[in-house]
Amino acid sequence: MAASIPTATRSFIKFIGSELWFSTGYRTPSKCLTRTLTTQSVVSTDSEVTRPKRRAEKLSAAMKAFLKRAKEHESKINKYTEEYELGRKHLANMMGIHPDEMTQEHINEAIRYLLPSGLFDKGSRPQFKHPKDILPLNFDFPFDKAGRPYHYQYYTLLPNYHGIMSEAAWRMECLREEEVRIGSTGAPPQEEMKHLSEEYEWMDLRTFLNYFKSNHSEVVQVNEHNRFVILMTKLSKMRLREQDVAFLKQFGSPKTSEINVMDTEEIKKFYVNEQGRKFRTKNGYRKSAIAQVTVYAEGEGILEISGKGIEYFESQYAREQVLFPLVLTSSLNKVDVHARVEGGGEMGQSGAIRHGLSNALLPFVSQQMVNKLSLSGLLDRDSRVKERNKPGQKKARKQFQWYELKLVACLCLRHN
């Protein structure tokens, strides 16, 4: 006859089991603690407790927004791809080519043949390309399932741009600390450091915008490009390591030393007068002044300005402006200069003569001097003019002070 555990003992066992459950922290004990005793043997009637199903992991709001954006982009790509394939087939039929043999080179030739364009800028001409070559495809997940972004600059909205700027600033700080350490201790540098022997030319605005849009799907503005150029220029002027030079080469290239500003035939073009002297006449402009300058080769250093010498200008600065091209090219006592100038003031007339003299000297100097004149900005017209006065202001930029207006208002009130 089977003997069972009394009710009080069974309640006590259940109480002990619940205490163990709360103390250990496990919500699902593996087995129950109830048993049934018999006279022959102790038989266990343990039953497995089913564990509750784990709830599905929730996606973060950022992940949902990104998935939605990627889905819209994919649908847009599919739509444009269908239109592209249809247009490619029609274009192949017009050109007499099988659609399967129609490559991008054939498409470009067909566009040039069917839609001839006289636009100078090639980017403005008609194009027909696959949507994958036009629309950005960088849709990698920028964060994990929990919503934590991979890039530490993700919340700046331009993570790759700010990452490059942060790395450049960090390199500058490291180089400054190294210079301070060398100056204070006198110890040699840990790595070989040197100044760049040539100036670097950084990415222009158009290349800069296309770089971040095509590689990183980021839309940068003109202000970001200006800050980028300023920071890279500061970094390039420091004593750099090899790794710093490699970093700079990603975004710029050394400037070429030789610059051909004009065609060689145009530079060497001159005339010969009745006496057999070579000469060249050029016009110069500055503000409202116009100068006609004639330079004679193999001269004695004669300088004539509207029938007078250099004393035509009273200002010492104006005289230096006129003589600057001759001093720069070492032609001060080797050529004769005759100039006529009209309009403008003293500084405008001196600038006009300098502009015309620089261009008239080109046939009588070497190509190296021509490049030097171009780099100095003497061959280009200075188009700056005085800004006009604005109504309601003292000058073009200067404005009336508040206390002066207040004084005028008080006087008007007293008069009334």
Side-chain angles (χ1 to χ4, degrees):
M1 186 173 181
S4 61
I5 299 176
T7 305
T9 306
R10 191 181 302 166
S11 302
F12 177 75
I13 292 174
K14 288 183 178 181
F15 174 76
I16 293 298
S18 62
E19 290 293 330
L20 290 173
W21 173 39
F22 283 112
S23 62
T24 55
Y26 294 100
R27 302 182 64 85
T28 56
S30 61
K31 297 180 180 180
C32 294
L33 298 175
T34 57
R35 292 183 181 179
T36 302
L37 299 179
T38 61
T39 55
Q40 296 179 357
S41 62
V42 179
V43 180
S44 175
T45 59
D46 301 336
S47 61
E48 295 290 338
V49 178
T50 58
R51 299 185 180 182
K53 294 183 179 180
R54 183 178 297 177
R55 290 182 296 180
E57 296 181 355
K58 293 184 178 180
L59 295 177
S60 62
M63 179 65 71
K64 291 181 179 179
F66 185 83
L67 291 175
K68 181 180 178 181
R69 180 184 169 202
K71 187 176 180 180
E72 293 177 354
H73 181 78
E74 185 178 359
S75 62
K76 187 187 297 185
I77 287 288
N78 295 334
K79 177 183 176 182
Y80 290 161
T81 302
E82 294 178 359
E83 297 177 356
Y84 170 80
E85 293 297 335
L86 181 61
R88 190 170 68 89
K89 291 180 180 179
H90 288 306
L91 198 60
N93 293 332
M94 295 172 63
M95 300 301 296
I97 304 175
H98 194 274
D100 296 337
E101 300 177 357
M102 194 71 173
T103 61
Q104 187 62 39
E105 295 181 356
H106 294 156
I107 293 174
N108 296 336
E109 292 179 1
I111 292 294
R112 284 195 296 267
Y113 175 73
L114 297 174
L115 301 172
S117 175
L119 296 175
F120 179 77
D121 188 6
K122 295 182 178 180
S124 302
R125 297 176 181 176
Q127 295 181 358
F128 187 65
K129 296 182 179 180
H130 197 278
K132 293 183 180 180
D133 298 335
I134 301 175
L135 298 178
L137 296 177
N138 296 333
F139 269 87
D140 299 332
F141 288 100
F143 35 76
D144 55 14
K145 293 183 178 180
R148 292 185 293 268
Y150 294 132
H151 203 287
Y152 69 101
Q153 296 280 0
Y154 175 75
Y155 292 105
T156 60
L157 303 181
L158 298 173
N160 295 280
Y161 167 76
H162 288 287
I164 293 173
M165 298 291 285
S166 299
E167 184 177 357
W170 172 76
R171 291 181 181 277
M172 289 182 62
E173 291 296 328
C174 293
L175 294 174
R176 287 171 182 168
E177 293 177 359
E178 184 68 12
E179 290 178 356
V180 171
R181 187 189 68 83
I182 295 173
S184 59
T185 61
Q190 298 178 355
E191 301 181 30
E192 184 180 358
M193 301 173 64
K194 60 181 181 180
H195 288 283
L196 294 176
S197 58
E198 64 277 348
E199 295 184 2
Y200 267 61
E201 185 176 3
W202 311 111
M203 286 190 289
D204 56 354
L205 180 60
R206 185 173 182 178
T207 307
F208 185 78
L209 298 179
N210 293 336
Y211 172 80
F212 283 97
K213 185 176 181 180
S214 59
N215 297 338
H216 306 293
S217 299
E218 295 180 1
V219 180
V220 294
Q221 304 296 332
V222 180
N223 296 334
E224 280 81 5
H225 178 257
N226 296 335
R227 288 195 290 266
F228 168 80
V229 173
I230 292 173
L231 185 59
M232 292 299 173
T233 304
K234 288 183 179 180
L235 179 60
S236 63
K237 292 181 180 180
M238 302 180 68
R239 294 177 60 189
L240 304 175
R241 302 164 294 185
E242 291 295 334
Q243 53 184 345
D244 301 325
V245 176
F247 173 75
L248 290 175
K249 286 182 178 180
Q250 299 177 5
F251 312 104
S253 58
K255 292 182 179 180
T256 55
S257 57
E258 294 293 332
I259 303 176
N260 295 324
V261 295
M262 298 180 184
D263 189 10
T264 307
E265 296 181 358
E266 180 65 22
I267 291 176
K268 301 302 181 182
K269 187 176 181 180
F270 59 88
Y271 300 93
V272 181
N273 60 6
E274 298 177 355
Q275 288 79 18
R277 296 187 63 183
K278 301 177 182 180
F279 72 96
R280 178 170 176 158
T281 303
K282 280 291 181 179
N283 293 336
Y285 306 92
R286 177 72 178 99
K287 293 184 179 179
S288 58
I290 302 175
Q292 186 180 22
V293 183
T294 303
V295 175
Y296 293 90
E298 300 177 359
E300 300 177 356
I302 299 175
L303 178 59
E304 181 182 348
I305 303 174
S306 297
K308 298 182 180 180
I310 193 63
E311 64 274 4
Y312 177 85
F313 297 107
E314 298 180 358
S315 173
Q316 184 69 22
Y317 180 76
R319 297 180 181 182
E320 293 176 356
Q321 290 294 309
V322 173
L323 298 176
F324 181 68
L326 298 174
V327 175
L328 183 64
T329 57
S330 302
S331 305
L332 192 57
N333 295 320
K334 299 179 182 179
V335 296
D336 293 339
V337 179
H338 297 270
R340 291 186 302 171
V341 60
E342 297 178 354
E346 188 176 33
M347 300 309 302
Q349 290 184 355
S350 63
I353 294 175
R354 185 186 67 175
H355 180 222
L357 178 58
S358 301
N359 286 274
L361 279 172
L362 296 181
F364 313 118
V365 296
S366 62
Q367 181 64 36
Q368 185 178 1
M369 287 297 176
V370 174
N371 297 335
K372 188 178 292 186
L373 287 170
S374 176
L375 293 174
S376 302
L378 299 178
L379 301 181
D380 300 327
R381 177 181 177 179
D382 190 355
S383 60
R384 297 175 300 170
V385 295
K386 182 180 179 181
E387 189 174 355
R388 69 176 183 85
N389 293 353
K390 307 298 189 304
Q393 298 180 184
K394 283 190 174 181
K395 295 183 178 180
R397 299 294 179 91
K398 188 176 182 181
Q399 299 180 356
F400 292 104
Q401 296 296 327
W402 178 78
Y403 68 88
E404 294 181 357
L405 295 177
K406 183 179 179 181
L407 180 60
V408 173
C410 292
L411 293 176
C412 292
L413 291 175
R414 288 184 182 181
H415 180 71
N416 294 333

